[in-house]
Amino acid sequence: MLRLLLSLILMSGWFIASGQRIQIIDADTREPLSFVTIQTTDQSWSGVSDEEGAVDMPNVQPDVSLEFRRIGYETLSLTLDELRAYDFQVKMISTNIELDQVVVSATRWEQDRNRVAARIRSVDPETVQLQNPQTAADLLGLTGEVFIQKSQQGGGSPMIRGFATNRLLYTIDGVRMNTAIFRGGNIQNVINLDPFAIEQTEVLFGPGSVIYGSDAIGGVMSFQTIQPKVSGSDTPLVTGSATGRYASANREQTGHLDVNVGWEKWAFSTSLSSWQYGHLRQGQHGPDDYVKPIHVRRLSGVDEIATQEDPLLQIPSAYDQVNILQKVRFRPNDEWNLEYGFHFSETTPYGRYDRHNRTRNGNPRYAEWKYGPQMWMMNHLKIEYRGNSPFYDDVQLSLAHQAFEESRIDRDFNQPERRTRTEEVNAYSLNLDFIKNTGERNLLFYGLEYVQNDVQSSGMSEDIVQGIVAGTSSRYPDATWRSLAAYVNNEFRWSKQWTVQAGVRYNRFSLDADFRDNQEFFPLPFEEASLANNALTGSLGTVFRPSGKWVIRVNAGTAFRAPNVDDVGKIFDSEPGAVVVPNTDLEAEQAYNLDLGVATTIGRSVNLDITAYYTSLQNAMARRNFTINGQDSILYDGIVSQVQAIQNAAKAKVYGLQFGLNIDLPRGFAFRSNLNMQHGEEELDDGSVSPSRHAAPFFGVSRLMYEAGPLLLQTYVQFQGERSFEDLSMEERSKDEIYAKDDQGRNYAPAWYTLNVKAQYQVSESFSLSGGLENITDQRYRPYSSGLSGPGRNFILAANVAF
């Protein structure tokens, strides 16, 4: 009888624990805390607190503990007995130190930041609302660790750790955004994304090829868009927001609306955004070399040079854009979650400003040089199942189709021929990802991936006077690029202080290109080209936390970039006396990287972190002399020409430091600073060594912040060091149109800074105002390698209504 009574008491305690709702609050303010991640130590259950700071705890084993984590708060571990003692109310202590957070970019799964060996930086929606970035490229710049290059206002090409363009990877909701025509030159695809529709932005620094495959050499930029929220009850959940914004430097007029409607099992989210950007005005104080007081206009069938009333306007740089996002979510139970997303983005044509700075015989080189409408569309279906299989605890199936369209339009000054080259890419992807807890301290991630890109390229020549349209050479051959891969990544918690991660990926890639449509313009002795090869990549990292105030990370890894259509299609870069032919023996570029990162908290108010890294790029693709059918020269376009091909013949190296400092000051003040130093060298086509083009100068941002109730204030300085002529890449030294002149008349990138202030005020629970003044001292500056100057003094005002 006594045993039965004791059993009933224990069972009663068990069911009380399992049936209780946990309430989580801030220990100082007593305000409820949403988005707190709760996880059992045996990985059997995890949850996230709602807007009321509450979460329902299901049946869990009585001998496990629960860990509570939230960005800016100390991690808390409690047993079930301790939870009962606290009456299931959990008080979390604010630190404002971002050592503890949940990230998804490392493995595609939610993961404790403290167990990731790579350096990761995040940008949350609250920061976006305060800073008001105009594009997703500007959003990335908010990290203070990603350098943004712009050749035109409709652009933004990130540079990370000395790499850029097709040696960086973009993902949107876990789907690879890079295509087979990503080139080595600067790209602007990131502007397809809508900052208003992004819930979380993460940048993973260093190799990411084990999880993401080709191109993830310098880093991975992961964007998670808004997820439909179910109500979890019979009562519908209706939420949303509307934003209007104006900026003076380019007369921006932006409108945004998002709505979420959720029921117990179904939810729908809609996001609509529209931007109108005028020509961008640069600052008053700075190098005169950046001022172009004229632009070309066409009147009565004649190109003429017009003098601008405002010489600081950068004409042409205006464009418009629209973005649409529609998501549907169905969660029939706790095991299944299905989500479909439709993404659409389109711009108007926009001028490439740097090309309009080129001259010939004292006149502008071009009357027109612009990108045609840039379109991106994605259909994405993601199915997730949480089960109890011997092979997985959670499985995700991701199916996506993306359609890209971009074009280049150019016409010489006072010439009738307008050339238009258009590229269309249909990208298909399938990802099957598994996660399995294989023991109390071991977590296994593994999966399969298939990617296919179908590329269609066309060329058109139009005589705008006679109205005659004819074909011309396309930029690329029509082609299909494929990738098939399998990966495995393991996380082993050696102890409470040590976590070890190791992963490996095998990738098979192939490319088939058809040159027949260009035989009329390039009479080559071949019509088709194919290549197939493979790449093996791996990673090994460890995280050591000797105490609650120290984190030491060591991460070694490899990454690769598979040859794509842009590499094979370089036949169209032929020059007199030389012809570039496809090389079907091309292999993947290989990168070898080592990171060492240390982060520490001093007291409860200071956080310092520093990461040193070194990356060696081998088998880099470069143009070298070649033979075809045993011959080193062929008759091409009536000229005996040296045969050349893109070959795995070059190498590069980059090393640097990333430094971060966070200080929480008394009375609501805080200080944040990020500094970046890097040096890169690369081997050129002729075998000589040059400073790396994509290794940015010293740059960073320092912020002083203040928070008092509904008011947020921030003043910050953004800066870049000088890049002298000697330190410019060889290919950059001759670009007169984008650089200033030093005292010897040589091109260089001057140092610059901007002083800025931002503010946000919560007028009521549903209405807020934000804005600021950028570049207060009206500096005329141009970020390194950019063809467009940054905005001059810029007043921003935004109003937001939430419901």
Side-chain angles (χ1 to χ4, degrees):
M1 184 65 180
L2 179 61
R3 289 183 179 180
L4 178 60
L5 182 61
L6 288 173
S7 298
L8 289 173
I9 292 173
L10 288 174
M11 289 177 65
S12 173
W14 160 249
F15 283 112
I16 289 174
S18 63
Q20 281 287 344
R21 166 166 285 202
I22 302 174
Q23 179 71 37
I24 308 167
I25 62 174
D26 185 292
D28 296 323
T29 67
R30 315 288 294 182
E31 292 292 326
L33 292 178
S34 59
F35 300 110
V36 176
T37 299
I38 307 98
Q39 188 172 51
T40 57
T41 52
D42 65 353
Q43 304 281 326
S44 62
W45 172 75
S46 65
V48 179
S49 61
D50 60 22
E51 294 180 355
E52 302 299 325
V55 62
D56 291 319
M57 182 176 64
N59 294 334
V60 295
Q61 296 297 323
D63 58 344
V64 303
S65 297
L66 285 84
E67 290 187 346
F68 298 80
R69 298 181 182 275
R70 191 182 191 273
I71 297 173
Y73 287 82
E74 293 182 1
T75 297
L76 189 61
S77 180
L78 298 173
T79 66
L80 291 178
D81 288 338
E82 289 172 327
L83 275 173
R84 291 191 196 95
Y86 295 143
D87 198 22
F88 295 95
Q89 185 180 76
V90 177
K91 300 176 183 178
M92 298 191 70
I93 299 174
S94 173
T95 65
N96 290 322
I97 302 300
E98 295 187 7
L99 284 178
D100 302 311
Q101 56 179 290
V102 174
V103 295
V104 298
S105 56
T107 60
R108 283 200 179 98
W109 296 95
E110 287 190 356
Q111 195 174 8
D112 185 347
R113 172 69 183 91
N114 289 319
R115 296 171 183 167
V116 179
R119 183 182 183 93
I120 297 177
R121 284 295 176 265
S122 303
V123 182
D124 55 39
E126 291 77 18
T127 300
V128 174
Q129 186 172 0
L130 172 66
Q131 293 294 333
N132 283 295
Q134 291 189 339
T135 69
D138 299 331
L139 188 158
L140 287 168
L142 297 179
T143 62
E145 300 185 29
V146 177
F147 190 90
I148 303 299
Q149 181 276 350
K150 290 187 179 183
S151 297
Q152 63 280 329
Q153 189 173 201
S157 187
M159 298 182 184
I160 299 176
R161 289 190 173 185
F163 296 100
T165 62
N166 56 17
R167 290 172 180 153
L168 300 176
L169 188 78
Y170 304 84
T171 71
I172 180 76
D173 290 337
V175 177
R176 174 191 182 89
M177 196 177 189
N178 292 39
T179 72
I181 62 171
F182 268 37
R183 57 191 182 275
N186 297 308
I187 58 176
Q188 59 271 1
N189 300 74
V190 71
I191 70 169
N192 291 330
L193 307 181
D194 179 2
F196 290 106
I198 296 174
E199 283 191 339
Q200 183 77 356
T201 301
E202 295 176 13
V203 181
L204 181 147
F205 295 90
S209 285
V210 168
I211 302 298
Y212 295 102
S214 179
D215 304 358
I217 291 178
V220 176
M221 291 158 283
S222 171
F223 301 90
Q224 301 294 321
T225 60
I226 55 177
Q227 184 184 43
K229 297 176 177 60
V230 296
S231 66
S233 66
D234 295 333
T235 304
L237 171 70
V238 180
T239 59
S241 68
T243 301
R245 186 173 68 208
Y246 172 82
S248 62
N250 57 2
R251 298 186 178 181
E252 175 202 12
Q253 298 179 56
T254 290
H256 167 76
L257 173 68
D258 64 79
V259 178
N260 181 95
V261 180
W263 291 270
E264 183 178 4
K265 297 180 179 181
W266 287 90
F268 298 84
S269 287
T270 302
S271 173
L272 305 171
S273 299
S274 173
W275 297 265
Q276 293 181 352
Y277 302 117
H279 301 300
L280 180 64
R281 187 183 189 275
Q282 59 186 323
Q284 182 71 36
H285 309 292
D288 292 336
D289 305 290
Y290 295 158
V291 178
K292 180 177 72 71
I294 61 171
H295 66 274
V296 177
R297 63 184 179 186
R298 190 168 182 83
L299 293 175
S300 302
V302 177
D303 294 330
E304 65 174 35
I305 299 173
T307 301
Q308 299 172 188
E309 292 184 7
D310 185 349
L312 299 180
L313 281 180
Q314 300 175 95
I315 302 176
S317 59
Y319 78 103
D320 300 340
Q321 182 171 335
V322 62
N323 274 59
I324 301 172
L325 170 63
Q326 177 65 59
K327 284 191 173 183
V328 180
R329 182 183 180 190
F330 177 53
R331 193 183 68 175
N333 50 49
D334 291 337
E335 287 78 30
W336 287 95
N337 187 69
L338 292 82
E339 186 175 308
Y340 165 76
F342 171 78
H343 305 249
F344 178 81
S345 171
E346 187 172 20
T347 71
T348 59
Y350 50 91
R352 179 163 171 177
Y353 183 74
D354 61 339
R355 293 297 172 89
H356 285 270
N357 284 339
R358 293 185 178 181
T359 61
R360 184 170 61 182
N361 300 324
N363 288 321
R365 172 73 172 81
Y366 297 102
E368 300 178 50
W369 210 118
K370 59 187 176 182
Y371 290 101
Q374 179 172 299
M375 189 275 290
W376 169 67
M377 181 182 69
M378 181 169 78
N379 290 280
H380 180 210
L381 175 65
K382 184 169 72 173
I383 302 171
E384 181 177 358
Y385 174 69
R386 294 185 176 183
N388 189 19
S389 164
F391 304 104
Y392 60 85
D393 297 326
D394 206 336
V395 58
Q396 281 185 163
L397 173 64
S398 175
L399 302 169
H401 165 252
Q402 299 177 80
F404 300 83
E405 181 177 327
E406 58 188 54
S407 57
R408 293 162 177 81
I409 304 165
D410 69 277
R411 183 174 63 83
D412 291 347
F413 183 70
N414 269 331
Q415 296 296 318
E417 182 188 4
R418 177 190 289 141
R419 295 170 294 273
T420 302
R421 291 183 170 90
T422 303
E423 285 74 55
E424 297 180 3
V425 180
N426 282 286
Y428 308 90
S429 62
L430 181 153
N431 291 88
L432 187 59
D433 300 296
F434 301 87
I435 184 172
K436 178 63 181 177
N437 189 341
T438 58
E440 185 176 343
R441 296 184 295 172
N442 200 77
L443 198 58
L444 184 67
F445 308 87
Y446 63 99
L448 303 170
E449 179 184 71
Y450 176 75
V451 178
Q452 178 174 316
N453 285 190
D454 293 331
V455 179
Q456 290 185 310
S457 186
S458 61
M460 181 186 72
S461 175
E462 178 187 4
D463 187 320
I464 63 172
V465 176
Q466 301 294 329
I468 300 174
V469 177
T472 189
S473 63
S474 61
R475 181 175 175 87
Y476 299 117
D478 290 347
T480 297
W481 183 90
R482 301 180 184 89
S483 170
L484 179 63
Y487 77 91
V488 59
N489 191 60
N490 193 73
E491 175 192 298
F492 179 65
R493 296 182 295 280
W494 190 279
S495 65
K496 290 185 177 180
Q497 290 77 33
W498 282 98
T499 300
V500 179
Q501 289 181 319
V504 64
R505 178 190 184 102
Y506 174 78
N507 219 112
R508 181 72 178 174
F509 55 86
S510 64
L511 189 155
D512 298 301
D514 187 341
F515 293 88
R516 283 175 292 187
D517 289 345
N518 277 298
Q519 283 294 314
E520 176 185 351
F521 311 102
F522 300 101
L524 296 170
F526 53 84
E527 293 183 343
E528 298 177 341
S530 299
L531 66 84
N533 220 314
N534 55 69
L536 184 66
T537 188
S539 65
L540 177 63
T542 184
V543 181
F544 177 51
R545 296 180 65 98
S547 69
K549 294 182 178 295
W550 285 89
V551 180
I552 300 172
R553 294 183 171 89
V554 181
N555 189 37
T558 64
F560 74 96
R561 184 178 80 83
N564 65 15
V565 177
D566 185 73
D567 302 308
V568 173
K570 287 185 181 295
I571 183 172
F572 308 122
D573 289 339
S574 302
E575 57 190 14
V579 57
V580 181
V581 301
N583 177 8
T584 57
D585 293 324
L586 270 179
E587 299 177 356
E589 295 180 338
Q590 293 283 346
Y592 304 87
N593 179 82
L594 179 64
D595 277 32
L596 174 60
V598 178
T600 183
T601 59
I602 302 172
R604 288 185 55 186
S605 61
V606 179
N607 171 231
L608 177 67
D609 74 89
I610 185 169
T611 299
Y613 61 88
Y614 179 91
T615 305
S616 173
L617 182 67
Q618 303 294 323
N619 271 358
M621 299 178 206
R623 189 169 61 182
R624 295 285 191 272
N625 290 339
F626 196 62
T627 61
I628 184 170
N629 298 328
Q631 296 180 317
D632 60 5
S633 299
I634 60 174
L635 187 65
Y636 174 74
D637 203 19
I639 300 174
V640 177
S641 301
Q642 170 70 54
V643 175
Q644 295 183 330
I646 303 299
Q647 301 176 53
N648 299 109
K651 57 186 178 182
K653 64 179 180 181
V654 182
Y655 53 88
L657 293 172
Q658 295 170 288
F659 173 85
L661 174 66
N662 298 343
I663 304 175
D664 288 337
L665 301 170
R667 301 183 182 275
F669 286 92
F671 177 77
R672 307 282 187 266
S673 187
N674 293 98
L675 308 176
N676 305 269
M677 294 170 282
Q678 55 198 299
H679 176 77
E681 296 178 359
E682 59 187 359
E683 188 176 354
L684 303 180
D685 290 341
D686 62 3
S688 61
V689 176
S690 164
S692 174
R693 173 187 177 187
H694 291 133
F698 170 72
F699 73 97
V701 61
S702 295
R703 309 177 189 273
L704 179 63
M705 300 175 287
Y706 174 74
E707 180 175 1
L711 177 65
L712 291 176
L713 283 175
Q714 184 178 122
T715 180
Y716 62 97
V717 58
Q718 197 165 3
F719 47 87
Q720 173 206 289
E722 178 182 306
R723 177 60 56 88
S724 67
F725 176 81
E726 291 82 4
D727 291 333
L728 282 177
S729 165
M730 293 295 293
E731 62 180 315
E732 294 288 292
R733 294 180 182 180
S734 61
K735 295 181 178 179
D736 297 333
E737 68 270 21
I738 69 174
Y739 289 108
K741 301 292 184 183
D742 64 16
D743 55 8
Q744 299 181 48
R746 304 176 303 174
N747 291 328
Y748 85 116
W752 56 264
Y753 77 94
T754 62
L755 183 62
N756 318 270
V757 63
K758 296 289 176 65
Q760 180 180 331
Y761 187 78
Q762 194 71 36
V763 180
S764 67
E765 185 177 347
S766 60
F767 180 64
S768 65
L769 291 172
S770 61
L773 190 60
E774 296 178 335
N775 195 0
I776 295 172
T777 58
D778 206 21
Q779 297 296 304
R780 184 184 307 141
Y781 70 98
R782 185 167 290 183
Y784 163 73
S785 192
S786 295
L788 182 82
S789 298
R793 187 180 293 118
N794 186 29
F795 172 73
I796 303 169
L797 179 62
N800 177 266
V801 177
F803 56 89

